[in-house]
Amino acid sequence: MPGSPPKSVGPHPDTWVPRRMSSPPLSPAVASAAAASRQALRVLAGLAEALGMPGTVVTAALAEAQAALEEAEAAQAGLEAALVAAKAAEAAMATPTPGLDAESLYRMLAVASDASAKELEQELRRNRRRRWGLRLVRTITLVLMLLCVPLLSLDVVREALGVTQESHLVPSLATVAVLCQVALWGTETSERHLATAASHQRHQANRYRRLARDAAAAAAATTEATKAIADANVTLGMLEEVTGHLRTLVDAVTQDLEMGQGFPASARALGDAVVALGTAMGAKEGTERLARALEALPGDG
């Protein structure tokens, strides 16, 4: 009713939301998200192809991928905001259903899964730092052993150091090296479990978000606005999928560059992307480039 102020109390305050809010148009957000999804897929394929090239090419492709990832995340946030506003405007015209709806429940589960994944990823980074420290200690210990064994066999050196031929220095260093190696094996096992658990939580969060969107679409009336929201949900789902795999590959390439032992983590991330995107998108130029890049990678052994 034009000219009537919003009621401060009442059984249905949401009926006044359309009079107060100005929802951002959905079409520009969808167009931006679709363009960001295509760009992210192109950059994902470019980064995958760069893995078989010299290090400078990989570094440049990684920087481009990080920039594209930021743009894709911004487009995703914009589309999510536009979707929230569009759903709120549509819900304001419908009779609210009391109680907790399925969409809210799935979104809460998605938030919980995201939080769990972040905690696991933080622990994974701490585990990688521990592995680096253990490798450093093991290397220093082995170098000391290689130096001490021939030097301690000389009487002059033993007299200068004040040690006997039966010195426990070398056995002690050997013990430290063995302990470091055992600890390294443990951190490697932990890293595999943590990476698997974090990936599982990320996939669960995406699954809950998809279920939330499905629940919202099922509950909405079959109107033109609902069709636009459904199309936007499809675009958002594809953008989330591509962005998620781009983020995973960027993290894997960063890790492999730090380790300097080839690209084993990148190959695993790329394999997951090929399977997932091939299933979600079918045979497209981007997914075919990913598959060719994976085939061109040398085995990680």
Side-chain angles (χ1 to χ4, degrees):
M1 293 184 296
S4 299
K7 298 179 181 179
S8 57
V9 293
H12 303 296
D14 287 343
T15 56
W16 297 97
V17 172
R19 304 298 182 185
R20 300 196 307 264
M21 69 183 291
S22 176
S23 60
L26 197 55
S27 296
V30 171
S32 176
S37 182
R38 291 191 296 270
Q39 171 70 0
L41 182 60
R42 183 189 68 79
V43 172
L44 178 64
L47 179 57
E49 291 169 344
L51 296 180
M53 299 181 184
T56 54
V57 177
V58 177
T59 303
L62 181 60
E64 183 183 8
Q66 290 169 335
L69 181 58
E70 292 178 359
E71 295 176 1
E73 290 173 341
Q76 179 178 329
L79 182 53
E80 287 175 343
L83 271 170
V84 168
K87 291 174 183 177
E90 185 179 54
M93 297 181 291
T95 303
T97 303
L100 186 66
D101 60 358
E103 182 184 3
S104 298
L105 176 61
Y106 285 131
R107 291 203 179 278
M108 286 190 294
L109 291 171
V111 169
S113 294
D114 276 332
S116 297
K118 287 180 181 177
E119 291 178 2
L120 289 167
E121 287 166 355
Q122 289 174 353
E123 181 60 30
L124 186 58
R125 287 191 289 271
R126 287 192 291 268
N127 187 75
R128 287 169 182 163
R129 288 194 293 269
R130 285 193 291 268
R131 286 184 63 189
W132 182 87
L134 287 169
R135 282 199 180 95
L136 180 62
V137 173
R138 183 191 61 181
T139 301
I140 293 173
T141 303
L142 292 175
V143 170
L144 289 175
M145 287 177 61
L146 291 174
L147 291 174
C148 289
V149 170
L151 289 176
L152 290 178
S153 64
L154 301 176
D155 294 338
V156 176
V157 174
R158 288 200 305 274
E159 290 177 2
L161 295 177
V163 297
T164 64
Q165 191 167 5
E166 294 77 18
S167 172
H168 297 290
L169 177 60
V170 173
S172 298
L173 290 173
T175 302
V176 171
V178 170
L179 291 175
C180 287
Q181 184 59 54
V182 172
L184 275 171
W185 288 334
T187 57
E188 289 170 0
T189 302
S190 297
E191 180 172 349
R192 287 195 298 271
H193 291 320
L194 287 169
T196 300
S199 176
H200 175 72
Q201 288 298 324
R202 287 294 184 193
H203 290 167
Q204 281 292 93
N206 286 336
R207 176 174 173 270
Y208 286 135
R209 280 190 285 266
R210 285 195 297 270
L211 289 172
R213 291 191 292 271
D214 292 343
T222 54
T223 61
E224 183 178 356
T226 304
K227 183 179 183 302
I229 289 175
D231 292 340
N233 277 325
V234 172
T235 302
L236 179 58
M238 188 57 62
L239 178 58
E240 286 177 344
E241 189 77 23
V242 176
T243 302
H245 287 292
L246 179 58
R247 183 188 301 109
T248 300
L249 185 58
V250 165
D251 291 343
V253 172
T254 302
Q255 174 192 341
D256 286 338
L257 288 176
E258 292 175 352
M259 301 299 292
Q261 297 178 356
F263 295 96
S266 303
R268 289 192 295 270
L270 183 56
D272 292 341
V274 168
V275 173
L277 294 178
T279 301
M281 303 178 65
K284 289 189 176 181
E285 180 183 357
T287 56
E288 291 174 352
R289 286 178 64 190
L290 286 175
R292 289 195 296 269
L294 179 62
E295 292 174 357
L297 277 180
D300 57 20

